Amino acid sequence: MGKIEKVKTLARLSVKQPKSVVKALGYLGKYGFVGLRERLYQEVVLEDESIPLVFGEPGSAGGGIKFSVLMPTYNVDVRWLSKAVKSVEQQVYGNWELCIVDDCSTDDSVMSYLRSVESDRVKVMRLDRNGGISNATNAAARMADGDYMVLLDNDDLLAPNALLEFYLRLSTTQADVVYSDNDVVDENGTRLAVLHKPDWSPDLLLSQMYVGHLLGFKRSLFEEVGGFRPEFDGSQDYDLLLRLVERSSRIEHISEILYSWRALPTSTAANPDSKPYAQTAGLHAVQSHLDRTLGEGKACACETDSLYVYDVRYELRDKPKVSIIIPTKDHVDDLRAAIESVFDKTEYPSYEILILDNNSELSETKAYLRSLEQEFGNVSVIDASYRFNWSKLNNQGIEEASGDVFVCLNNDVVIRSADWLDRLVENCIREDIGVVGGLLLYPDETIQHAGVVVGMGGWADHVYKGAAPVHCGNPFISPMVARNVSAVTGACMAFSRDTWERIGGFNEDFVVCGSDVELCLRAERNGLRNLYLPGVVLTHYESKTRDPKDIPEVDFSLSKAMYRRYVAAGDPYYNSNLDYGSCIPKVVSRREKLRRAALDCYSTDILETRAMNFRRVSSDRPRINLLVPSINAEDVYGGIATALSFFDRLVAETGVDARILVIDSEPRMESLSRFPGYEFVSMDEESDARLQIVPIGRRNGKTVPASPKDWFVCTSWWSAYCYQDECERLKKQDGCFLENPMIYLIQDYEPGFYAWSSRYLLAESTYRSPVPTVAVFNSRELKGHFDSLGYEFKHSFVFDPFLNGSLLERLDQLGGKVGKRRQIMVYGRPGTDRNAFELVVESLRRWIDLQEDHGLWEIVSAGEQHAPVYLGHGRYLTSVGKLTIEEYAQLLAESYAGISLMVSPHPSYPPLEMAAFGVRVITNEYSGKDLSDFGESVVSLARSTPGEIAASLQEVCSSFEREVPCGRVRPGYLTNRDLFPFVQEIKKLIDES
């Protein structure tokens, strides 16, 4: 279980089982971490799986979003109806109404019961005549005045936290449509099946109504599309959803079971044949959607052998030429079977086959290849006389191909479906589709590939591998249904020339495997969707087990970096409730989730301390090297941005060679645009290029070239540690040839990032190293803290922060005055301990008790996306996440008060930025840090307790003014554009070396 999933698990426990969390904290103090782990396993993990989680008292959570639950009724057994109504009344979230319309039931007990529960929140209406489910639901919608509508059948159940989960998601995303997972229960409430769904998958929705329950949507959007249409009764939800998503792509999925579909003899949950008209209505709903979005005749929805599953075919008026790329080396029998199957099965008229001969040695192979060229005018054999590289082979084939569609095909597959190429082509030429793959079977007729799940097995694997190719719907989407996937296998993958030119070719750093998945993920990053088609059927003669020894180490290291996000957060087209350790979808039980959270929550590895070994090379040219964790766009802010600015200035002033050593994240090619003139260089090379970027994240067992003329700039404790450790190692051997002092850009007291721990000691050790060090501090306060602790460096320099250029431009436009609203902005980063998020929240809770007019104030959190935090009295701290610089400037300009805490001697940037924009910001003192003289709107507290912060905030808010002065901060913060005035002194050190 990745860190993100652990956080989710613990967060859900804190909401649903607060007593368990309090108990756990008590155990932590009494028994320590191992003791806590054992107690969790005994008391939480081993609890009875059938006992439901405790969510809270009905109505105990409030919020600003009102939900209207729509329920049509007709001759339903009152015992099921009453349970459905009670499931709404027992919602933890309290801002709801239930709109019930009876469609003229002939059973008088239905209306009698409904009248007994009618209230201000439970609205009841009876129609004069039976008009069908769409008419009844539309009538319920007309009664509604909520912000969102939620659909509930009259014999089903909502989970107690259903509306709360919807609120938490919608209040942060403002999505137009939201859906959840669901289960199926029998008459006794026993769970019969579950469906854990993928996130939004448009192509899957065209194959089946996978969204199902629980479904919610904005009332305004519902009214915009005209509500339900009676001609689609039986699949009215399907038709509605298709029309909703035509108007909006803001769709959210909550991967929790929030709805129970009751299996009764009259329902499709228990008897799919109970409503035969629903099959036809669903088909018409899909066709109607296709006609509206593409135009009539452009696509056709067809029935399949499976109920409620549809097969969409797209018009191919022009048949673009297809280039089939097949790399091979000998294995002539496999190749012959593949080629013959293409010619025997393929109905598509316009294609060529390009065979990349990668060092075949057998005379039989060479004779067969010659015969193919002689016999078939559309077969070309291309010489590829170089070491095997799957990516390079396919790139070469595509470069020499003449088609507008490319199909990469293994030499050990056999085509089984006559329309395989038609299906691939008609889909991969769609403007929104990237890469398309099909259903591959082992010779024993079990599944080899039905789509790739990234993160499965800790890497990536084929879902349903080893299963029978039969239709099923529990606990995940069937392998026999077309659906969007994160990736498909390179054994059979198709994409258009347009896609190829848009996203680029296969990454040739991968040798054997991984580049097929990487290409697919790159397509997704470029706004395209990848697609799995079960109608494209092949037999793949690959062994069920591949020897890892056949895969080079570089493929593993590249894949590990590529899959990292998916291992932590999960594949969006799979589901976090399913076991990523199994190719066959199976549910991870509650006890297993908790067991993993309890047992897999510490590591004995300190990944930051991987050795950084240098090899001596000769050079007469001085060079400045920056050791930096990442240069990718999403990481270049804060400390990394400052380090790059310092490095750029130092290189510009000295005029010497420059090299950026990227020590953690693998840099992407597009990162080069930030560094004009720089070249990517492998650590194995000894390049003469004046400007270099060298990725060394995969440095295990490898060395980095360096000379005595090299200067190294470090900007994180682990970069400094690794450099210092290598210098000391070299000194013990033959003497350290790295003679120049290390330049250490110190941007915080980094031991404070950790509790007293291994990393605390390692970070602190970098300030006491015998390696000569030039220290550069990013604030006077930080420099003073280091001086007070007695750290000594060969040279020390300090610079003061100044306002970001874009923010300064916006501030200048204000002209010294800014209009304010009653809004409190919080620098909220729950994932970063030093920003004291819990203390901020508790302070706000106390402030609400003190501030009589708290209802007039908006309270927003910026800096990190997080779920709304309940503050009491119906108030929430709502996150706006990470903002663009323009959005951030607007938030600063309009907010009257702010809270920004930082448990560090270094003043973080947010309180300085707030003060510049006239925000009355409350911050904390620490060591020598006191910001009370930074600006007139700063409140710098010596004691940072909830009571002190709340009282200060009340004082600030009680003096609210509509317009306040701005720009009144410490001299130099707005005007000093020479951030590094000491660079000439460092230049002198370099010139003299």
Side-chain angles (χ1 to χ4, degrees):
M1 179 180 290
K3 292 180 181 178
I4 293 177
E5 283 306 312
K6 291 175 194 173
V7 170
K8 286 181 179 178
T9 299
L10 295 175
R12 287 169 183 157
L13 273 176
S14 68
V15 174
K16 301 170 184 176
Q17 294 184 310
K19 294 180 180 179
S20 297
V21 174
V22 172
K23 184 183 290 186
L25 293 174
Y27 284 143
L28 180 60
K30 186 173 182 180
Y31 299 107
F33 199 77
V34 175
L36 167 64
R37 205 173 43 156
E38 294 302 319
R39 296 274 171 171
L40 277 174
Y41 182 74
Q42 292 171 16
E43 298 196 15
V44 179
V45 178
L46 296 184
E47 71 175 9
D48 189 341
E49 184 77 15
S50 65
I51 298 175
L53 292 172
V54 177
F55 299 109
E57 294 299 319
S60 60
I65 295 175
K66 183 175 182 178
F67 293 100
S68 297
V69 181
L70 309 184
M71 181 193 292
T73 63
Y74 181 71
N75 285 346
V76 60
D77 190 323
V78 170
R79 58 176 169 160
W80 309 131
L81 176 58
S82 64
K83 289 181 182 296
V85 171
K86 286 178 181 177
S87 76
V88 179
E89 293 174 333
Q90 292 171 353
Q91 289 298 299
V92 175
Y93 185 79
N95 194 359
W96 57 262
E97 64 177 1
L98 175 58
C99 302
I100 306 175
V101 171
D102 184 69
D103 196 20
C104 199
S105 292
T106 58
D107 183 350
D108 293 339
S109 65
V110 175
M111 203 60 211
S112 175
Y113 169 77
L114 292 178
R115 292 302 181 200
S116 72
V117 297
E118 189 173 10
S119 67
D120 291 341
R121 302 180 72 191
V122 180
K123 303 176 180 179
V124 176
M125 175 191 293
R126 185 178 190 274
L127 299 180
D128 294 335
R129 62 183 184 84
N130 180 261
I133 191 169
S134 292
N135 281 327
T137 312
N138 283 338
R142 288 192 292 271
M143 298 165 61
D145 60 13
D147 304 291
Y148 284 82
M149 295 175 171
V150 175
L151 304 180
L152 175 62
D153 288 351
N154 59 19
D155 51 6
D156 293 343
L157 301 169
L158 295 184
N161 62 324
L163 297 183
L164 176 61
E165 295 290 348
F166 268 29
Y167 167 73
L168 293 175
R169 182 64 61 89
L170 293 171
S171 61
T172 55
T173 65
Q174 289 79 51
D176 291 317
V177 179
V178 60
Y179 65 97
S180 76
D181 297 349
N182 66 265
D183 63 6
V184 179
V185 299
D186 65 11
E187 296 183 4
N188 299 315
T190 303
R191 178 176 291 173
L192 303 177
V194 298
L195 179 56
H196 290 299
K197 307 162 189 176
D199 288 350
W200 175 231
S201 178
D203 288 277
L204 173 57
L205 186 64
L206 297 181
S207 298
Q208 65 176 176
M209 175 46 167
Y210 82 96
V211 169
H213 302 296
L214 179 64
L215 174 63
F217 39 83
K218 278 186 177 176
R219 179 163 62 96
S220 58
L221 184 60
F222 174 83
E223 293 170 349
E224 181 183 337
V225 302
F228 291 97
R229 300 195 292 182
E231 60 267 35
F232 291 93
D233 276 2
S235 288
Q236 70 282 345
D237 295 1
Y238 200 177
D239 170 65
L240 174 68
L241 181 58
L242 288 166
R243 286 182 288 122
L244 292 174
V245 301
E246 290 169 16
R247 304 291 183 96
S248 175
S249 59
R250 298 167 61 189
I251 300 153
E252 286 288 317
H253 165 228
I254 298 173
S255 56
E256 288 196 42
I257 294 173
L258 303 181
Y259 191 101
S260 293
W261 191 14
R262 196 178 296 280
L264 301 172
T266 55
S267 71
T268 54
N271 180 12
D273 295 317
S274 63
K275 298 177 181 178
Y277 58 92
Q279 165 78 1
T280 303
L283 181 68
H284 290 165
V286 176
Q287 186 63 59
S288 177
H289 166 78
L290 295 171
D291 291 343
R292 286 191 303 273
T293 55
L294 302 178
E296 292 188 12
K298 298 298 184 182
C300 177
C302 309
E303 292 188 274
T304 68
D305 293 337
S306 301
L307 276 174
Y308 312 119
V309 175
Y310 308 104
D311 179 21
V312 175
R313 301 299 304 272
Y314 295 88
E315 181 188 42
L316 265 179
R317 181 169 298 175
D318 299 318
K319 302 279 187 178
K321 185 177 181 180
V322 179
S323 298
I324 301 173
I325 316 296
I326 306 178
T328 193
K329 178 182 179 180
D330 293 319
H331 292 279
V332 68
D333 291 337
D334 290 336
L335 179 63
R336 180 180 289 110
I339 297 295
E340 288 179 354
S341 73
V342 172
F343 283 120
D344 291 345
K345 284 286 188 181
T346 305
E347 295 176 341
Y348 192 86
S350 177
Y351 66 91
E352 65 176 353
I353 301 175
L354 291 84
I355 302 173
L356 281 295
D357 182 17
N358 186 220
N359 303 314
S360 292
E361 299 172 350
L362 300 177
S363 57
E364 181 185 1
T365 304
K366 295 176 181 179
Y368 176 64
L369 294 177
R370 284 195 301 271
S371 69
L372 284 175
E373 287 190 297
Q374 292 168 0
E375 183 177 355
F376 301 102
N378 62 343
V379 176
S380 301
V381 178
I382 300 170
D383 182 57
S385 300
Y386 45 81
R387 187 175 180 180
F388 176 80
N389 182 302
W390 188 90
S391 306
K392 185 175 182 178
L393 287 165
N394 282 281
N395 282 342
Q396 180 185 352
I398 290 171
E399 287 167 1
E400 301 196 27
S402 60
D404 292 314
V405 172
F406 307 123
V407 177
C408 298
L409 206 63
N410 270 21
N411 66 348
D412 59 349
V413 299
V414 170
I415 310 301
R416 295 179 54 167
S417 50
D419 60 354
W420 74 288
L421 205 49
D422 301 78
R423 288 178 177 271
L424 290 176
V425 173
E426 68 191 46
N427 280 281
C428 69
I429 64 173
R430 293 164 56 195
E431 291 183 356
D432 52 350
I433 296 299
V435 186
V436 184
L439 172 63
L440 276 62
L441 303 176
Y442 286 116
D444 65 1
E445 295 297 307
T446 59
I447 294 173
Q448 191 267 339
H449 170 269
V452 172
V453 173
V454 184
M456 183 170 276
W459 301 88
D461 212 335
H462 302 171
V463 65
Y464 283 109
K465 186 170 69 176
V470 296
H471 181 58
C472 61
N474 173 36
F476 183 59
I477 302 300
S478 168
M480 308 310 292
V481 174
R483 66 185 192 281
N484 297 112
V485 291
S486 289
V488 297
T489 178
C492 175
M493 65 191 313
F495 41 86
S496 68
R497 183 177 290 275
D498 287 344
T499 294
W500 180 262
E501 292 174 350
R502 176 173 172 178
I503 70 175
F506 290 103
N507 184 342
E508 294 181 14
D509 289 344
F510 292 90
V511 178
V512 175
C513 64
S515 62
D516 50 356
V517 176
E518 192 276 336
L519 183 80
C520 294
L521 296 182
R522 199 174 343 129
E524 285 216 326
R525 289 201 302 272
N526 280 272
L528 301 173
R529 299 193 309 275
N530 303 313
L531 181 59
Y532 158 72
L533 298 174
V536 176
V537 187
L538 301 84
T539 297
H540 189 190
Y541 287 87
E542 178 189 64
S543 170
K544 282 192 174 183
T545 57
R546 170 184 276 170
D547 190 344
K549 295 179 182 177
D550 296 337
I551 304 173
E553 179 60 32
V554 65
D555 287 357
F556 283 110
S557 57
L558 284 172
S559 296
K560 184 176 182 180
M562 176 174 58
Y563 301 150
R564 186 179 295 121
R565 178 171 70 87
Y566 295 88
V567 171
D571 187 321
Y573 293 115
Y574 204 49
N575 192 293
S576 59
N577 293 289
L578 301 174
D579 188 353
Y580 275 70
S582 169
C583 290
I584 307 298
K586 65 179 183 179
V587 177
V588 179
S589 66
R590 187 198 313 167
R591 64 175 62 191
E592 178 63 14
K593 285 182 183 178
L594 294 174
R595 187 188 70 81
R596 291 181 184 182
L599 301 182
D600 183 33
C601 48
Y602 71 88
S603 171
T604 58
D605 297 323
I606 306 176
L607 299 178
E608 297 94 330
T609 60
R610 288 179 300 134
M612 184 185 300
N613 300 131
F614 294 106
R615 66 179 185 276
R616 182 167 184 164
V617 296
S618 298
S619 177
D620 297 327
R621 290 150 48 185
R623 178 170 60 186
I624 299 174
N625 300 266
L626 174 65
L627 296 170
V628 67
S630 174
I631 59 171
N632 292 327
E634 65 271 19
D635 301 318
V636 179
Y637 62 90
I640 291 180
T642 302
L644 289 169
S645 297
F646 173 67
F647 176 71
D648 288 344
R649 175 73 183 281
L650 193 56
V651 171
E653 292 289 339
T654 59
V656 302
D657 292 357
R659 183 171 65 167
I660 300 174
L661 299 172
V662 186
I663 63 176
D664 293 338
S665 298
E666 187 70 18
R668 298 191 295 273
M669 285 299 297
E670 57 261 34
S671 302
L672 270 178
S673 62
R674 160 70 175 76
F675 304 94
Y678 279 78
E679 299 178 15
F680 271 134
V681 175
S682 166
M683 75 181 88
D684 297 325
E685 298 179 53
E686 295 178 12
S687 173
D688 291 328
R690 181 176 172 273
L691 303 175
Q692 302 178 27
I693 295 174
V694 184
I696 63 171
R698 306 192 303 272
R699 60 186 177 271
N700 296 25
K702 296 184 178 181
T703 59
V704 180
S707 82
K709 291 288 187 179
D710 276 310
W711 285 74
F712 287 85
V713 179
C714 300
T715 187
S716 62
W717 74 260
W718 57 95
S719 64
Y721 169 83
C722 291
Y723 176 78
Q724 293 166 346
D725 191 52
E726 174 64 355
C727 288
E728 294 179 49
R729 186 188 69 83
L730 290 171
K731 186 175 181 180
K732 291 177 182 178
Q733 292 183 349
D734 303 322
C736 182
F737 63 85
L738 301 173
E739 302 169 353
N740 295 317
M742 178 187 79
I743 301 174
Y744 197 171
L745 179 55
I746 301 174
Q747 302 194 65
D748 210 326
Y749 186 68
E750 290 191 80
F753 292 5
Y754 313 98
W756 289 351
S757 61
S758 301
R759 286 176 173 81
Y760 182 102
L761 291 174
L762 287 169
E764 201 271 342
S765 74
T766 64
Y767 309 139
R768 303 186 185 277
S769 170
V771 175
T773 299
V774 176
V776 178
F777 296 94
N778 71 343
S779 68
R780 290 174 292 168
E781 292 86 354
L782 185 61
K783 171 71 163 57
H785 182 71
F786 273 69
D787 290 345
S788 71
L789 295 176
Y791 296 116
E792 296 182 359
F793 302 98
K794 188 177 180 67
H795 300 278
S796 292
F797 302 98
V798 64
F799 64 92
D800 287 315
F802 65 85
L803 187 62
N804 172 278
S806 297
L807 293 179
L808 179 62
E809 183 178 341
R810 175 74 172 103
L811 186 63
D812 288 341
Q813 295 171 357
L814 297 175
K817 287 275 189 179
V818 59
K820 296 293 184 180
R821 57 189 294 184
R822 284 186 171 86
Q823 180 168 281
I824 301 167
M825 68 173 295
V826 166
Y827 187 48
R829 300 176 71 197
T832 306
D833 288 342
R834 61 186 181 277
N835 290 119
F837 184 72
E838 302 91 341
L839 178 55
V840 171
V841 169
E842 181 59 28
S843 302
L844 288 170
R845 286 171 174 157
R846 294 202 184 189
W847 169 80
I848 286 174
D849 290 334
L850 295 173
Q851 192 79 30
E852 292 184 1
D853 67 346
H854 67 81
L856 300 177
W857 290 81
E858 292 186 44
I859 314 168
V860 297
S861 171
E864 180 180 307
Q865 190 71 54
H866 60 78
V869 179
Y870 187 58
L871 301 175
H873 299 280
R875 305 304 310 282
Y876 285 84
L877 174 62
T878 304
S879 172
V880 294
K882 288 185 178 180
L883 302 174
T884 65
I885 197 70
E886 294 80 12
E887 293 168 336
Y888 182 46
Q890 181 59 35
L891 183 64
L892 289 168
E894 67 185 21
S895 297
Y896 181 77
I899 303 177
S900 179
L901 305 182
M902 176 78 156
V903 189
S904 165
H906 163 58
S908 63
Y909 297 140
L912 311 183
E913 293 159 345
M914 291 183 197
F917 278 78
V919 178
R920 297 289 305 279
V921 56
I922 298 167
T923 188
N924 64 292
E925 297 179 11
Y926 184 90
S927 184
K929 177 180 69 176
D930 180 358
L931 299 182
S932 57
D933 65 347
F934 179 80
E936 61 183 37
S937 66
V938 177
V939 179
S940 187
L941 298 178
R943 293 184 70 242
S944 301
T945 66
E948 294 271 358
I949 296 171
S952 297
L953 185 59
Q954 183 196 26
E955 184 178 348
V956 165
C957 294
S958 297
S959 60
F960 173 72
E961 299 176 73
R962 285 290 180 188
E963 188 176 70
V964 301
C966 58
R968 298 185 181 182
V969 292
R970 179 184 294 168
Y973 182 66
L974 304 181
T975 58
N976 178 19
R977 310 320 291 167
D978 185 6
L979 182 58
F980 312 110
F982 48 81
V983 163
Q984 286 298 322
E985 296 179 61
I986 298 180
K987 178 181 183 297
K988 185 177 179 181
L989 295 175
I990 294 174
D991 291 342
E992 293 174 351
S993 65

